[in-house]
Amino acid sequence: MLSRCRCLSRPLSCSLSAFSQVRIAVGRRSASGFSLCHRSTSSNILPQHQPPLSLECNPRLSCIKYFRTSAVCNNEVVTVNTPAFPESVTEGDVRWEKAVGDSVAEDEVVCEIETDKTSVQVPSPSAGVIEELLVPDGGKVEGGTPLFKLRKTDGAPAKAKLAAKPIPEAATFTPPPAPSTPPPPTPPSPLPTEVASGPIPSTMPPVPPVTVQAMDSKPVSAVKPTATPPSPVMDTSAKGIRSEQRVKMNRMRLRIAQRLKEAQNVCAMLTTFNEIDMSNIQQMRAHHRDSFLKKHNLKLGFMSAFVKAAAYALQDQPVVNAVIDDTTKEIVYRDYIDISVAVATPKGLVVPVIRNVETMNFADIEKAINELGEKARKNELAIEDMDGGTFTISNGGVFGSLFGTPIINPPQSAILGMHGIFDRPVAVAGKVEVRPMMYVALTYDHRLIDGREAVTFLRKIKATVEDPRVLLLDI
């Protein structure tokens, strides 16, 4: 009895060890897309009249199931909603970039929502095909409104797959043999149908008199070019017709027009002017341009000098940085300085904000301007980038403006207008010299800011730009 138990335990241990080895091996493969299910039961091992089974001699003990999890997500239709708007924005107009049936990749822009301040891009959450547009082009939407339905697919767009199907057919296509399809002959001598349909001769057949048949046609001298249909003659009287085209104003342009008109109706705007000699700042820029570019990987421009000079002047005249609260009839003085820089875009004028300018140096200001400029060029400015601002600088000099009066950007109380740099004769120490000069204009709300503060503020900017050492000496 004891010997019989030993005989049974030895193959049973071998079977269990083989089963564990195969289970480990198959378990490793199951991580890459396989699942293991074993159908061994106790009836195959416990009875003594049957020999112990092993995985090597009985493959029915294990089976492999293949599964694909990506098939669950394919052909799933999802509804994409409008993203949430900030508190200052309630609705927007939809402008579609894609149509029904178009294939989109993941994070590809499907539509843009034009709001009062900026355009919000709506990307596709995954790769798929546009099934249905739930909002017409130009329709108004609010936060959370359903926009379109998307049928999910795998990574490759559906249209690309359809276009790729005929490629293998074109690759496997072989041209028919030369006798069945003769190449196009250079001379106009077609082969007779009898020769093409007859048996293939073993010797070279005589040349048929095709030239005679070809010469039976008209000679070259008798051939006349076919008369082309006359082109429609334009009526000379129609050149003086004047037409009109009506284009709907986008939401941003409507908001800009509304705010500018509010500024004229509410603020008592007054403008004061001055001129700045740009000789010293140009010399400093030319002397330190290469070293500044090498250290900060940025070009040194004129905007950083004016932004820093404005922050320095705002600290000297805090009333220019203040604002009137019309609801409570109070004056709000701000201890921080956020300067808005007006930027012209094809969709309208935007004013991204550089925050806490009083704590920045020239390099920090140039970096901030560069980042905001990149966002504006890529149409990626968010509403948070343009919200707020205590003072605005508008640079019309990039377009060659010589002189102008800027309009206040409400609810601010003042705006500085920069213009082009032009060589003009000026009196320097009793002598006439040609200097690079720039006109600057300060428009301010006369309800809050008196002429003394406005002129002093503009003269402080003039002194700081003409001699940046004023910032170091704090004078």
Side-chain angles (χ1 to χ4, degrees):
M1 184 66 181
L2 182 60
S3 61
R4 185 176 181 180
C5 294
R6 292 178 179 177
C7 294
L8 286 176
S9 62
R10 182 176 302 174
L12 179 61
S13 61
C14 295
S15 176
L16 293 177
S17 62
F19 178 78
S20 62
Q21 293 177 0
V22 174
R23 184 176 181 183
I24 293 173
V26 179
R28 295 175 180 173
R29 298 179 59 187
S30 64
S32 60
F34 301 97
S35 64
L36 174 66
C37 65
H38 38 86
R39 303 174 181 173
S40 60
T41 58
S42 60
S43 60
N44 296 331
I45 299 177
L46 293 179
Q48 299 180 359
H49 61 276
Q50 294 182 0
L53 300 179
S54 62
L55 293 176
E56 299 176 356
C57 62
N58 192 355
R60 293 180 301 171
L61 291 177
S62 63
C63 65
I64 299 175
K65 290 184 179 180
Y66 297 87
F67 63 92
R68 293 178 61 88
T69 57
S70 61
V72 180
C73 299
N74 289 346
N75 298 325
E76 178 185 358
V77 179
V78 296
T79 302
V80 180
N81 299 331
T82 306
F85 294 146
E87 296 180 358
S88 59
V89 177
T90 57
E91 61 182 10
D93 297 336
V94 178
R95 183 172 62 85
W96 292 105
E97 300 286 345
K98 302 293 181 179
V100 176
D102 290 350
S103 300
V104 293
E106 187 176 358
D107 295 334
E108 185 176 359
V109 177
V110 180
C111 66
E112 286 188 357
I113 302 177
E114 295 182 352
T115 63
D116 298 343
K117 297 183 178 181
T118 185
S119 296
V120 180
Q121 296 181 348
V122 180
S124 175
S126 62
V129 180
I130 304 296
E131 286 287 324
E132 183 182 359
L133 302 181
L134 304 179
V135 179
D137 191 19
K140 296 181 180 180
V141 293
E142 298 179 354
T145 303
L147 285 175
F148 62 93
K149 292 184 179 180
L150 176 71
R151 182 177 297 276
K152 292 184 178 181
T153 59
D154 50 1
K159 287 189 176 180
K161 289 184 177 180
L162 295 177
K165 286 183 180 179
I167 294 178
E169 298 178 3
T172 57
F173 174 76
T174 56
S180 60
T181 57
T186 53
S189 57
L191 293 175
T193 57
E194 294 81 11
V195 176
S197 60
I200 301 175
S202 60
T203 61
M204 180 66 68
V207 179
V210 293
T211 58
V212 178
Q213 295 179 1
M215 294 301 295
D216 291 340
S217 59
K218 296 181 180 181
V220 178
S221 60
V223 177
K224 297 181 178 180
T226 57
T228 58
S231 58
V233 180
M234 297 182 62
D235 189 5
T236 56
S237 61
K239 293 182 179 179
I241 296 178
R242 298 178 297 175
S243 61
E244 295 181 353
Q245 183 180 5
R246 294 180 177 267
V247 180
K248 182 181 178 181
M249 294 178 65
N250 55 36
R251 186 174 290 269
M252 184 183 297
R253 176 57 61 184
L254 287 172
R255 183 58 177 169
I256 291 173
Q258 179 184 359
R259 288 174 61 85
L260 293 179
K261 191 58 181 176
E262 287 178 357
Q264 285 186 335
N265 295 337
V266 175
C267 300
M269 291 189 293
L270 186 63
T271 305
T272 182
F273 305 94
N274 213 320
E275 60 181 0
I276 299 178
D277 187 356
M278 302 292 291
S279 301
N280 290 336
I281 193 69
Q282 283 186 348
Q283 184 179 0
M284 184 189 74
R285 180 171 176 262
H287 186 266
H288 299 285
R289 179 188 303 171
D290 297 336
S291 58
F292 189 88
L293 178 62
K294 182 178 179 181
K295 181 176 181 180
H296 302 286
N297 198 20
L298 291 171
K299 292 183 179 180
L300 180 60
F302 296 115
M303 279 299 299
S304 56
F306 277 90
V307 171
K308 188 60 180 178
Y312 184 68
L314 288 172
Q315 290 177 325
D316 185 67
Q317 299 293 329
V319 68
V320 183
N321 198 46
V323 65
I324 296 177
D325 190 352
D326 293 324
T327 58
T328 60
K329 307 299 180 182
E330 296 176 346
I331 300 176
V332 181
Y333 290 91
R334 293 129 166 185
D335 296 332
Y336 56 90
I337 298 175
D338 295 343
I339 295 182
S340 305
V341 180
V343 179
T345 63
K347 294 183 179 180
L349 187 68
V350 295
V351 280
V353 182
I354 306 175
R355 307 188 187 278
N356 299 324
V357 183
E358 72 277 5
T359 62
M360 293 184 177
N361 53 23
F362 279 45
D364 297 334
I365 296 173
E366 289 290 346
K367 290 178 182 178
I369 294 176
N370 187 46
E371 292 175 359
L372 294 175
E374 287 291 333
K375 288 185 177 181
R377 281 188 292 269
K378 297 179 181 179
N379 196 20
E380 296 178 353
L381 281 175
I383 298 178
E384 293 79 7
D385 296 329
M386 298 178 288
D387 192 16
T390 62
F391 185 78
T392 300
I393 298 178
S394 177
N395 186 9
V398 294
F399 306 107
S401 174
L402 175 64
F403 208 74
T405 57
I407 300 178
I408 295 176
N409 180 25
Q412 300 174 7
S413 300
I415 180 173
L416 175 68
M418 298 169 53
H419 301 92
I421 303 174
F422 300 97
D423 292 339
R424 294 199 306 271
V426 294
V428 179
K431 297 180 181 180
V432 177
E433 296 183 7
V434 177
R435 296 289 185 92
M437 305 298 294
M438 174 193 288
Y439 287 118
V440 289
L442 177 69
T443 301
Y444 57 96
D445 189 356
H446 209 355
R447 299 179 304 164
L448 176 63
I449 305 171
D450 295 331
R452 179 176 62 89
E453 287 83 3
V455 173
T456 305
F457 175 84
L458 194 57
R459 287 183 59 85
K460 179 67 70 172
I461 292 180
K462 172 183 170 64
T464 306
V465 174
E466 288 184 345
D467 189 3
R469 293 174 295 182
V470 173
L471 296 172
L472 300 177
L473 300 176
D474 193 15
I475 56 177

